Amino acid sequence: QKEVEQDPGPLSVPEGAIVSLNCTYSNSAFQYFMWYRQYSRKGPELLMYTYSSGNKEDGRFTAQVDKSSQYISLFIRDSQPSDSATYLCAAGGAGTALIFGKGTTLSVSS
Amino acid sequence: DGGITQSPKYLFRKEGQNVTLSCEQNLNHDAMYWYRQDPGQGLRLIYYSQIVNDFQKGDIAEGYSVSREKKESFPLTVTSAQKNPTAFYLCASSIRTSGSFYEQYFGPGTRLTVT
């Protein structure tokens, strides 16, 4: 079993919708969790990260971690066509390399 | 202008030739990484280095080699032993924050095509 699982989608929503992107992880030692956005043919861009459990909000984006269920979520409010990209979740432990999910492709139509 | 640079953006090689991909960072990050990305496969770690003159194999190191002679540079050589080298290669670097957590950033990538 891969340590970080992510539904590849694709996910298609209309502009203005609330988007929920999700990952699960199997290693209970993971302590920090990250979300990257990757546009086609570009390098991933770090969007947000959280340490341990809880929520973190940045503008239209909210990252949530539930350690009891080993579930990671990214919510996008008022989605825009410019949010169309592949979103990668990642998890890691102290001093270890990040483990990435395969990414979910999101398309927001105007 | 700070960041991670990878060159070239596109690279074409004939089968059987070794090729070296460049990665430079001016962020003063200690750790650097190489990933390979294929459609539907996600990011797979090739090699990483946490300090100058030291590096470790990742999940798919066979057919690749690296060096870390300077803190800011981490070149990747794709050798002729790599059976399927055509892919998008991403370099990353990271800085350790409080709580032993590494904040990792990526370069723009190099798309290698071997025919």
Side-chain angles (χ1 to χ4, degrees):
Chain A
Q1 181 190 7
K2 197 174 185 327
E3 289 189 286
V4 177
E5 299 276 1
Q6 186 174 10
D7 185 340
L11 182 61
S12 295
V13 302
E15 184 176 355
I18 296 174
V19 176
S20 173
L21 302 166
N22 307 294
C23 294
T24 58
Y25 64 95
S26 57
N27 188 339
S28 59
F30 287 156
Q31 296 174 292
Y32 56 95
F33 308 91
M34 310 176 87
W35 283 97
Y36 288 84
R37 178 175 62 196
Q38 185 177 23
Y39 292 113
S40 182
R41 301 176 191 272
K42 304 287 186 187
E45 167 195 8
L46 178 60
L47 268 181
M48 302 180 70
Y49 59 85
T50 55
Y51 182 72
S52 193
S53 279
N55 291 3
K56 186 171 184 178
E57 189 173 319
D58 183 3
R60 296 185 294 111
F61 298 86
T62 300
Q64 191 173 76
V65 176
D66 183 344
K67 291 203 81 178
S68 62
S69 58
Q70 297 186 177
Y71 203 77
I72 315 164
S73 300
L74 178 71
F75 299 97
I76 307 174
R77 291 183 299 282
D78 187 25
S79 56
Q80 303 294 310
S82 59
D83 296 327
S84 298
T86 297
Y87 290 81
L88 300 162
C89 63
T96 63
L98 285 174
I99 306 296
F100 285 84
K102 291 187 177 182
T104 300
T105 300
L106 171 67
S107 176
V108 181
S109 56
S110 56
Chain B
D1 188 20
I4 304 169
T5 57
Q6 292 185 244
S7 60
K9 188 172 181 179
Y10 298 97
L11 190 53
F12 298 89
R13 279 293 182 271
K14 295 287 188 187
E15 198 173 315
Q17 293 179 334
N18 290 357
V19 59
T20 297
L21 281 59
S22 167
C23 178
E24 304 277 331
Q25 54 98 1
N26 61 4
L27 301 168
N28 199 33
H29 287 178
D30 287 315
M32 297 187 74
Y33 311 79
W34 274 106
Y35 293 88
R36 169 182 172 139
Q37 189 174 38
D38 299 279
Q41 295 281 340
L43 291 171
R44 292 186 288 170
L45 182 64
I46 303 172
Y47 269 98
Y48 65 102
S49 167
Q50 294 183 310
I51 196 169
V52 174
N53 292 323
D54 188 44
F55 47 82
Q56 287 77 42
K57 293 181 179 180
D59 301 320
I60 55 163
E62 186 175 346
Y64 299 97
S65 66
V66 293
S67 63
R68 186 86 188 277
E69 297 176 2
K70 298 186 295 183
K71 185 176 184 177
E72 59 269 22
S73 179
F74 192 40
L76 173 74
T77 296
V78 184
T79 75
S80 56
Q82 167 51 232
K83 290 183 172 53
N84 188 16
T86 294
F88 188 47
Y89 289 87
L90 287 158
C91 178
S93 68
S94 68
I95 187 166
R96 182 171 169 167
T97 64
S98 59
S100 297
F101 153 51
Y102 288 86
E103 200 170 301
Q104 188 167 307
Y105 296 90
F106 284 86
T110 292
R111 187 165 299 276
L112 172 65
T113 302
V114 177
T115 57

